[in-house]
């Protein structure tokens, strides 16, 4: 994975590099400046998901600058 994926500043969702808006919340506030890749498969039973207020399974960034 050499491409810089984009992370949404609103919901921390990891989006494809060619996305203009977030797959999850449709925000156009996407950034390449992020760290910590986490995949949340079962948000309902995940403490990280609860802390990040994630309700949908998917890939998220822990830190967005
Ligand atoms: Zn989003």
């Amino acid at each position: 994975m050499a491409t810089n994926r984009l992370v949404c500043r609103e919901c921390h969702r990891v989006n494809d590099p060619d996305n203009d808006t977030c797959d999850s919340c449709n925000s156009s506030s996407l950034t390449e400046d992020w760290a910590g890749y986490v995949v949340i498969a079962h948000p309902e039973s995940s403490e990280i998901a609860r802390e990040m207020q994630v309700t949908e399974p998917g890939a998220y960034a822990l830190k967005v600058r």
Side-chain angles (χ1 to χ4, degrees), residues 8 10-11 13 22 24-25 27:
C8 174
E10 305 299 330
C11 70
R13 180 80 174 229
C22 175
S24 182
C25 71
S27 165

Side-chain angles (χ1 to χ4, degrees), residues 20-63:
D20 289 325
T21 55
C22 175
D23 281 339
S24 182
C25 71
N26 286 325
S27 165
S28 58
S29 184
L30 304 176
T31 177
E32 289 181 12
D33 198 4
W34 58 276
Y37 184 83
V38 62
V39 174
I40 295 174
H42 305 286
E44 67 282 353
S45 59
S46 164
E47 257 179 58
I48 297 173
R50 208 161 26 237
E51 242 169 69
M52 292 170 66
Q53 300 180 328
V54 164
T55 54
E56 250 189 278
Y60 294 86
L62 287 175
K63 270 188 202 168

